[in-house]
Amino acid sequence: MNVPHTVKLKVKEGLTEDLRKGIVRINREDMEILGADTGTVVLIQGEKCTAAKVYPSFNDIYGSPFIQMEGGIRRNAGVGIDDNVILSKADIKPATTIMLSPLDQFFFT
């Protein structure tokens, strides 16, 4: 049976330059365990599940079992600072169809 690789990490505050970019930062060693490269989408399981792109961490947390997440991603995952999350590589499939609708057909009250 093929068991997906997962990593359990403790949540730390994200970097200011990562705000509203949809990215989290982890150690390269943890990225290798997940089989993830820079920009790979990972699933973050806390109280809730969310997704983000993963980037390598800088020297301030290098070698520690931490994940740097900004507030929006923490809120989506239902976690806070110093909570634990489980990361796994997301199985992304391309869209087969998309639907577009003109804005003038929306009704605002």
Side-chain angles (χ1 to χ4, degrees):
M1 185 165 122
N2 189 6
V3 178
H5 295 111
T6 61
V7 178
K8 184 176 181 180
L9 301 171
K10 184 177 272 197
V11 176
K12 294 295 177 191
E13 181 66 46
L15 303 176
T16 305
E17 58 264 27
D18 293 343
L19 287 174
R20 295 185 295 273
K21 292 183 181 176
I23 67 172
V24 295
R25 292 189 183 269
I26 64 174
N27 292 306
R28 287 197 182 274
E29 291 84 6
D30 295 325
M31 289 175 68
E32 288 175 15
I33 291 169
L34 294 174
D37 295 319
T38 298
T40 299
V41 177
V42 293
L43 295 177
I44 304 164
Q45 182 66 51
E47 291 288 322
K48 301 182 275 183
C49 189
T50 191
K53 293 179 282 185
V54 69
Y55 280 71
S57 62
F58 293 119
N59 292 338
D60 55 344
I61 69 162
Y62 190 79
S64 302
F66 297 130
I67 178 171
Q68 291 177 303
M69 307 169 70
E70 56 99 0
I73 298 172
R74 288 196 312 270
R75 194 169 29 260
N76 289 343
V79 297
I81 302 294
D82 292 330
D83 287 344
N84 290 313
V85 295
I86 297 175
L87 261 65
S88 60
K89 188 174 175 182
D91 182 23
I92 303 297
K93 296 181 174 97
T96 55
T97 60
I98 60 169
M99 182 181 292
L100 303 175
S101 178
L103 287 176
D104 62 352
Q105 293 183 6
F106 279 80
F107 297 99
F108 298 101
T109 57

